[in-house]
Amino acid sequence: MTAASLDTTAKTSAERGALARARLLRGLLPALSLALVLLAIAWLNPRAISYFGFSLMLNLAIPIALATIAQMFVIAGNELDLSIGTFVGFVGCVTATWLKDAPLIGVVILLGSIGVYALLGALIHLRNLPSIVVTLGMSFVWQGLAILVLPKPGGKAPDWLLGLMAFKPPFIPFPIIAALLIGLIVHFGLMRTSYGVILRGSGGNPAALGRAGWSLLKTKIVLFALAGLFGVLSGMALIGITTSADANIGNGYTLLAIAGVILGGGEFVGGRVSPIGAVIGALTLALAASPLLTFMHIPPDWQVAANGAILIIVLAARVLISRKER
Amino acid sequence: MTSVKSLLTKPWIWSFLGALLVWLATIAFTGGYGAGGMVTAALSLAVFTVIVGVGQMFVITLGPGNVDLSLPANIGLASAVAMKVMDGNDSMIVVGLLAALACGAAVGAANYLLIWALRIPPIIATLSASFIIQSIDISYGRGLQIKPPPGFADFANWQILGIPVLAILTVLFTIGAAIALQRMIYGRSVLAIGQNIRAAWLAGVNVGRIRFLTYTLSGALGGIDGALLAGYFRGANVDIGNEYLLASIAVVVIGGTSVAGGKANVPGVWGAALFLVLLLTMLNTFGVSAGVRLLLTGLIIVGVITAAGGQKALR
Amino acid sequence: MPEGNADIIRLNGAEKHFGAVRALGGVDFHVGPGECVGLVGHNGAGKSTLMHMVAGTSTPDSGQIGVHGKVEDKYSVSRAQQLGIRCVFQELSLCPNLSVAENTRINHASLRGLGWRRKAAELIAAKLDEIFPGHSISASDIVGDLSIGRRQMVEVARAFTVIQDRLDLVILDEPTSSLDAHTAGQLLAFVRRFVAGGKSCILISHVLGEVLRNADRIVVMRDGKVVVTDAADAFDRDRLVTAMGGAEARQKIAAEVAAAKPGASPLRVRARPTAQKDGTDLVACAGEIIGLAGLAGHGQTDLLLAIFAAASRARTGIEVTAPVALVAGDRQSDGIFPQWSIAQNIGIRSLARLRNGLLISPQREAELAQFWQKKIGIRTPDMNNNIFSLSGGNQQKALFARALGSDAQIVLMDDPMRGVDIGTKLEVYDLVREEAGRGRTFLWYTTETEELDNCDHIYVFKNGRIVANLRRDELTEEKIIQSSFGDAA
């Protein structure tokens, strides 16, 4: 008996070791892909690896990271938001107009739009609707509203926002600090707090959560409201950088945000998401699409392809790792 | 009376009724002026949505999670390929069309290859594919100012008695698609997979092959659509397909196809495409701004899906 | 009545119907304090339904539930938890994306605020240490990465954790099904300590030895009713088996089956379960009806699916020489196409033969449907009605028609008679024997022992392996129960 149980513990510890290694590898994959992209940039143009180079390359990293976090909350609940890009554009237009000219009304509009997101979560849960179609419709709505708010490109960001986004801390470029901060705050909120567990559980095994007495309606509302909140932050950050707005300014963010979540180790179903991974994924995509690449022998034509290729390579690597786990 | 009743139970009738209503509202506003021209214009524009809509419909019918997000990039690339191959030369029209078709089919096949090999959801597979296709298109079609051959442009804009020939051909094509859906092994298999993929496998359906064919078909239709668009608008450009991502999904949903899969509706795609185009015409006629137009389009999509609601599958 | 002496829970005359099927027919059941009640019975005897009522996840159609001596009118899961009743369900209710400690948090709303993670981790780790010493599970492990056995350990330990709520009764539904002998022993020893401490337990297990050794009182269920209740000492293995199987003699159907079978017909299927070590094969020849017996979920369905897959793509260890069709037992998930008519549901397996040129001929499809409507007796005015217009038994007949109307010479039946009325059953039995007489081969997995009387040859499964191989004339219910309940794994 003793011999047998000794034997099993020995075997299981080896088994656990292999499993832990594979898990570690899976967890490090987003960071590895970021490192790989950085290496490629350093190889192509060593001068890019500098305070100035990073500030330039990661110019748009903050809004992309925030939009990715917004998408991540929706994906954590097994849904998908196809409207986050146009929502970011709408927020941008409001920021460049109302928020500057009549701050109080601007704040009310932005809070109201977060409320709309919460209502969408409720609608999707109560009517059991496919989120893809609902958010697809909403993407038209946000774009329409954006054009109504700002028919022609223009407007101006509030000065305090411009000041904030132009912040130049010593040694480490602002985008990196900000991204780190965003990742850590959301990580704490979603991965460490007791209600964060319930939110993630609602994606992992909704039936079990319901059986334990939690309201799935509430979790869905909270997840969508958080998505709205981070969408608002993303739109404001974007305008803080670009200084003026355009109704189409956020359109590309829908697909970028989905790609960022997946790059960061998130999965479409099962509540498996990682805030820090998502931020790293967003940084990777921001780098791969950064304007600086134009100055290094990469034709601008292929920047989008770089995003697609990174996505496919990372997913392929993930398949290989999970095969090893079996 | 009973025939009217049975007609009202068809899910596609509502999109046609909607289109009719919008058209009537518009000509009431204009006092009957331009009623015929409006229909002609609506038919010409709806064609392009219908062609990709049918492809998207087959994909969506495969069940939850199945959607082709690579259509815009695919349309853009195929339009460039067609224009380059035709090279303004009337004798190359057929070759150019075939090239666009092959290009689209290759994109579709690549999509399924990604889904199958990486075991990832179709949304992500077609999304990453579209990033790459977009770049190929930008690189391949850069500075492309090649006009379509005059014969092809004329063909794409050809009308007989105010009816666009392309629309007639597309009607024939959609009839074929409807027959394929209901009366061919392929269509039946798609419907079976969409209702219950496991039951379909256990009933002897070759699930892998049918899914492959469906994604390839959707790609091929995107390709041919790209070539026709370039002919109609007399030139290819990278953004030519952009509006067809949302439009293709929207016409499928409004047309009465179930987003949960397993229930498709070909006539509804036509109705919904006409409805969307006429809606735009109406709002333009009313002098409504672009913002209100988009806003209403979005609200209508959300409204339709909420009314149809409660059909999401569990997976 | 002083609360200390009251029954923890008492059900009087509980009844439950699912459609036309009676799952529970007036059951009286109670659990006293400091008592371990063993609950045994075949699959479908009504144990799970009864336990769902005790746990509050399902309410009886009629009957009364009392907890701690008070009648509960609005009994629910949350009420059950307040009253100290918890259940470890057979299907796992852990979130695979969360850690062990986080899963503990889900069941304890009071675990929050600063340091909740540490508290949760300590709580679950202490309980795991108490129940499964040397378990090697860390509270920070992600549940999805744990083996199925370890997940079951976490699930069990979580049910026994206490913060503020009271805990009086834990239902353990097959708690040892994924545990090895060592950990199963640890769990049962803990259950005895738990009960000795004045708490109560309901233990459901197919391993009869476990129940006999650990329960104070044993309740035997059959066909939705409690048939025997007695102190555990009053039972031995044989008495338990007899009580479960039904003592009254059953009439044997179709004695003529065994007669006049061609001696050497061509081989149709030769298959070996992947877990089989001793080289035993399942062999089926043309015209044979082969039974797959044993408890549910012991590898019968897996083998049928492997044979089904092998028919289209070659697999090692499985030889299939003719086209195959499958009759699903779980109609909703494996068989029915809910949007379609009865005729379309029947035709899907035979589309290639229904074609006229490239197109499927509606006329031929209708003919096929009508032929089988007559032959198998599907009761409907119109075969173009939706499949759900049929009763469950007739839906099942449509699935039989799908398989029998196809070109398949081998028909796999995955316990297709679950929840089907007796009239339908008898009709289908006749049809199966008739088709076998024409040379078709049937592989018939069933959880209903009477159905095995229709078979020429029976393979009994346990833990994914064939453990017995009986000819029809050797078949007795006791033999099957002995092989499938054998404690020596």
Side-chain angles (χ1 to χ4, degrees):
Chain A
M1 189 69 188
T2 351
S5 61
L6 266 180
D7 188 38
T8 50
T9 34
K11 196 178 104 203
T12 51
S13 73
E15 208 177 279
R16 285 163 65 85
L19 209 76
R21 263 199 306 282
R23 221 170 82 194
L24 190 72
L25 206 57
R26 200 169 60 188
L28 282 179
L29 207 55
L32 280 176
S33 41
L34 178 62
L36 225 62
V37 171
L38 279 177
L39 273 177
I41 290 174
W43 181 60
L44 286 167
N45 188 346
R47 271 175 306 166
I49 308 299
S50 64
Y51 185 95
F52 178 70
F54 274 118
S55 304
L56 201 61
M57 282 192 295
L58 291 172
N59 187 19
L60 291 175
I62 300 174
I64 294 181
L66 287 166
T68 304
I69 293 287
Q71 184 70 264
M72 184 203 69
F73 281 118
V74 177
I75 289 180
N78 295 346
E79 307 287 355
L80 196 65
D81 183 5
L82 292 185
S83 65
I84 192 70
T86 55
F87 180 67
V88 167
F90 164 73
V91 171
C93 290
V94 172
T95 307
T97 53
W98 290 100
L99 199 60
K100 180 173 168 60
D101 304 333
L104 199 64
I105 301 179
V107 168
V108 170
I109 294 177
L110 293 180
L111 287 178
S113 66
I114 297 176
V116 171
Y117 253 85
L119 280 178
L120 281 181
L123 183 75
I124 285 170
H125 178 80
L126 291 174
R127 294 284 293 156
N128 200 17
L129 302 177
S131 55
I132 295 183
V133 184
V134 174
T135 55
L136 176 74
M138 285 312 291
S139 74
F140 285 97
V141 171
W142 296 124
Q143 177 125 50
L145 289 174
I147 293 176
L148 287 178
V149 171
L150 191 69
K152 275 189 216 120
K156 193 166 186 310
D159 294 327
W160 59 269
L161 192 58
L162 287 173
L164 179 69
M165 297 309 290
F167 178 50
K168 282 202 170 41
F171 309 120
I172 306 169
F174 182 55
I176 296 182
I177 294 180
L180 215 65
L181 218 61
I182 296 165
L184 287 177
I185 289 172
V186 180
H187 179 84
F188 176 79
L190 189 64
M191 313 302 277
R192 294 276 156 172
T193 63
S194 56
Y195 195 66
V197 168
I198 305 304
L199 289 178
R200 283 183 291 134
S202 76
N205 190 346
L209 215 68
R211 211 183 275 165
W214 298 97
S215 158
L216 293 172
L217 172 66
K218 189 176 157 199
T219 58
K220 192 127 290 177
I221 289 179
V222 171
L223 284 171
F224 270 80
L226 283 168
L229 172 66
F230 278 85
V232 165
L233 294 178
S234 170
M236 288 171 60
L238 181 59
I239 298 309
I241 295 164
T242 59
T243 69
S244 71
D246 165 1
N248 294 314
I249 198 165
N251 287 6
Y253 280 31
T254 302
L255 300 187
L256 272 183
I258 299 175
V261 175
I262 301 299
L263 261 188
E267 281 170 30
F268 261 135
V269 284
R272 285 173 205 269
V273 293
S274 151
I276 292 182
V279 168
I280 293 177
L283 287 182
T284 313
L285 291 173
L287 274 181
S290 77
L292 197 73
L293 296 188
T294 322
F295 301 109
M296 308 178 198
H297 314 283
I298 300 180
D301 307 356
W302 294 99
Q303 285 172 15
V304 196
N307 281 339
I310 291 171
L311 206 53
I312 290 174
I313 292 168
V314 169
L315 288 171
R318 218 189 278 176
V319 169
L320 287 177
I321 292 172
S322 59
R323 222 170 252 170
K324 217 175 243 168
E325 273 178 63
R326 300 258 149 74
Chain B
M1 200 60 211
T2 46
S3 67
V4 171
K5 244 182 206 161
S6 76
L7 208 59
L8 283 180
T9 59
K10 305 269 188 224
W12 51 264
I13 197 74
W14 298 106
S15 55
F16 280 100
L17 278 179
L20 184 70
L21 220 66
V22 170
W23 180 67
L24 288 177
T26 319
I27 54 175
F29 184 80
T30 62
Y33 174 76
M38 215 183 297
V39 173
T40 305
L43 282 173
S44 329
L45 282 175
V47 160
F48 304 109
T49 317
V50 168
I51 294 175
V52 280
V54 168
Q56 188 73 274
M57 181 199 73
F58 276 106
V59 171
I60 288 179
T61 305
L62 282 176
N66 285 287
V67 66
D68 186 351
L69 295 185
S70 70
L71 276 175
N74 181 4
I75 291 173
L77 179 61
S79 68
V81 167
M83 289 308 101
K84 261 202 176 164
V85 171
M86 290 182 191
D87 200 19
N89 191 340
D90 275 346
S91 63
M92 292 296 281
I93 291 176
V94 175
V95 184
L97 279 175
L98 286 177
L101 193 72
C103 170
V107 168
N111 279 336
Y112 185 70
L113 192 74
L114 286 176
I115 296 169
W116 173 79
L118 299 186
R119 283 176 282 153
I120 50 180
I123 294 177
I124 278 296
T126 53
L127 172 67
S128 24
S130 84
F131 281 147
I132 292 182
I133 302 160
Q134 220 176 321
S135 273
I136 297 175
D137 184 21
I138 296 171
S139 163
Y140 176 81
R142 184 167 23 165
L144 190 77
Q145 288 303 330
I146 308 170
K147 297 257 179 235
F152 186 55
D154 291 345
F155 166 75
N157 289 284
W158 185 19
Q159 295 174 5
I160 298 176
L161 301 172
I163 300 172
V165 171
L166 220 47
I168 299 172
L169 292 176
T170 308
V171 167
L172 292 178
F173 158 72
T174 40
I175 291 172
I179 291 174
L181 182 70
Q182 298 298 343
R183 296 279 305 277
M184 285 172 63
I185 293 186
Y186 166 72
R188 284 286 182 92
S189 306
V190 170
L191 291 170
I193 292 171
Q195 290 174 60
N196 186 339
I197 190 166
R198 186 175 157 84
W201 175 62
L202 291 174
V205 172
N206 191 333
V207 173
R209 190 170 68 198
I210 298 294
R211 293 184 76 198
F212 170 75
L213 282 176
T214 305
Y215 278 93
T216 310
L217 174 76
S218 171
L221 288 174
I224 205 85
D225 207 46
L228 293 174
L229 273 168
Y232 184 78
F233 290 111
R234 298 176 197 271
N237 72 65
V238 174
D239 297 326
I240 201 165
N242 279 7
E243 63 179 288
Y244 290 97
L245 172 60
L246 300 186
S248 67
I249 301 175
V251 291
V252 172
V253 175
I254 297 177
T257 291
S258 160
V259 209
K263 203 170 102 192
N265 198 314
V266 181
V269 173
W270 257 113
L274 285 173
F275 172 69
L276 284 186
V277 174
L278 283 169
L279 186 72
L280 286 187
T281 319
M282 177 181 84
L283 296 173
N284 280 334
T285 317
F286 289 178
V288 164
S289 72
V292 177
R293 220 168 52 210
L294 286 163
L295 182 66
L296 285 177
T297 313
L299 289 178
I300 285 168
I301 294 176
V302 176
V304 166
I305 189 68
T306 308
Q311 51 177 327
K312 183 162 72 172
L314 295 169
R315 276 163 291 162
Chain C
M1 199 189 298
E3 206 176 71
N5 296 331
D7 287 332
I8 307 245
I9 190 156
R10 176 174 281 280
L11 278 85
N12 285 332
E15 266 189 57
K16 184 79 183 173
H17 293 263
F18 294 111
V21 180
R22 190 192 66 184
L24 277 189
V27 169
D28 298 332
F29 180 80
H30 73 277
V31 180
E35 182 182 40
C36 178
V37 176
L39 186 60
V40 296
H42 278 297
N43 295 298
K47 298 173 310 225
S48 294
T49 315
L50 183 63
M51 287 308 105
H52 274 292
M53 278 168 197
V54 174
T57 40
S58 154
T59 46
D61 297 337
S62 64
Q64 210 180 37
I65 298 181
V67 183
H68 300 307
K70 292 186 206 85
V71 174
E72 293 291 328
D73 290 327
K74 287 192 181 146
Y75 195 57
S76 68
V77 192
S78 44
R79 184 84 187 123
Q81 272 171 353
Q82 280 170 17
L83 295 169
I85 296 174
R86 298 197 198 153
C87 185
V88 179
F89 288 102
Q90 225 171 335
E91 72 273 27
L92 297 172
S93 45
L94 298 170
C95 294
N97 60 329
L98 302 182
S99 74
V100 172
E102 287 168 340
N103 267 291
T104 312
R105 145 76 181 144
I106 284 186
N107 280 27
H108 292 288
S110 60
L111 270 178
R112 59 200 150 108
L114 269 180
W116 72 269
R117 288 168 65 85
R118 197 178 34 79
K119 263 188 272 171
E122 281 167 3
L123 191 70
I124 188 75
K127 198 48 87 174
L128 278 166
D129 289 341
E130 186 184 348
I131 305 177
F132 305 105
H135 53 78
S136 76
I137 299 171
S138 152
S140 61
D141 283 346
I142 301 294
V143 166
D145 292 339
L146 297 175
S147 67
I148 182 89
R150 289 212 173 81
R151 280 187 226 183
Q152 197 164 22
M153 289 156 73
V154 173
E155 179 104 25
V156 167
R158 186 176 69 164
F160 283 102
T161 51
V162 180
I163 302 178
Q164 306 165 337
D165 312 338
R166 61 190 292 178
L167 176 61
D168 297 299
L169 169 65
V170 177
I171 304 163
L172 296 165
D173 191 354
E174 293 289 345
T176 59
S177 59
S178 309
L179 301 182
D180 59 46
H182 177 63
T183 36
Q186 289 179 329
L187 170 60
L188 295 166
F190 173 79
V191 167
R192 283 197 298 269
R193 292 203 299 276
F194 183 70
V195 172
K199 308 292 187 187
S200 308
C201 234
I202 300 174
L203 178 64
I204 302 176
S205 177
H206 275 124
V207 185
L208 297 184
E210 270 177 23
V211 180
L212 283 166
R213 280 193 299 274
N214 295 289
D216 301 311
R217 186 160 61 88
I218 296 180
V219 175
V220 183
M221 289 190 74
R222 194 169 78 229
D223 299 332
K225 285 193 166 144
V226 170
V227 285
V228 189
T229 305
D230 211 338
D233 311 340
F235 282 100
D236 60 6
R237 225 190 136 68
D238 289 338
R239 185 178 165 212
L240 215 49
V241 167
T242 323
M244 284 164 63
E248 70 268 39
R250 278 197 335 267
Q251 51 178 9
K252 295 243 165 188
I253 333 164
E256 75 271 20
V257 185
K261 271 276 152 72
S265 53
L267 177 80
R268 284 280 173 69
V269 177
R270 180 191 296 279
R272 180 177 306 170
T274 39
Q276 199 81 29
K277 302 272 160 54
D278 59 1
T280 311
D281 280 336
L282 178 146
V283 179
C285 298
E288 280 188 323
I289 305 176
I290 304 293
L292 282 66
L295 294 166
H298 277 249
Q300 302 95 328
T301 301
D302 294 338
L303 187 65
L304 288 184
L305 290 181
I307 293 170
F308 184 82
S312 52
R313 193 189 294 171
R315 270 171 94 124
T316 51
I318 298 180
E319 190 183 331
V320 181
T321 64
V324 173
L326 182 133
V327 184
D330 186 345
R331 284 193 296 277
Q332 301 327 327
S333 79
D334 296 355
I336 296 282
F337 295 106
Q339 313 261 5
W340 278 354
S341 71
I342 308 163
Q344 283 172 316
N345 262 289
I346 293 176
I348 178 74
R349 177 65 180 76
S350 311
L351 291 179
R353 284 190 304 125
L354 297 175
R355 271 183 312 180
N356 206 345
L358 261 180
L359 301 183
I360 297 163
S361 152
Q363 193 197 340
R364 282 201 215 173
E365 190 172 26
E367 280 168 14
L368 178 80
Q370 255 139 37
F371 177 80
W372 283 97
Q373 179 182 18
K374 254 193 222 114
K375 176 134 186 161
I376 206 167
I378 298 173
R379 287 175 197 96
T380 175
D382 187 349
M383 293 295 275
N384 291 319
N385 287 345
N386 182 274
I387 183 84
F388 280 140
S389 66
L390 296 177
S391 70
N394 278 300
Q395 287 176 25
Q396 197 63 48
K397 282 186 188 170
L399 294 188
F400 267 102
R402 179 194 290 170
L404 297 177
S406 75
D407 58 356
Q409 284 303 307
I410 303 165
V411 178
L412 310 176
M413 303 201 286
D414 182 18
D415 198 11
M417 294 309 195
R418 257 180 258 169
V420 172
D421 59 287
I422 184 69
T424 303
K425 279 182 184 170
L426 293 176
E427 284 170 13
V428 171
Y429 296 160
D430 287 341
L431 190 69
V432 166
R433 286 196 302 272
E434 183 191 325
E435 290 290 324
R438 295 202 186 138
R440 273 191 158 148
T441 305
F442 288 85
L443 295 184
W444 189 348
Y445 161 44
T446 173
T447 47
E448 297 182 28
T449 321
E450 310 91 81
E451 295 190 337
L452 295 172
D453 292 341
N454 293 294
C455 299
D456 301 311
H457 212 112
I458 291 116
Y459 293 91
V460 184
F461 282 69
K462 182 169 164 55
N463 292 335
R465 290 192 291 269
I466 299 172
V467 290
N469 178 353
L470 309 168
R471 282 198 317 278
R472 210 183 81 87
D473 47 14
E474 302 170 323
L475 171 70
T476 60
E477 176 136 21
E478 281 68 27
K479 243 184 194 156
I480 292 178
I481 292 180
Q482 291 289 0
S483 336
S484 35
F485 283 85
D487 284 345

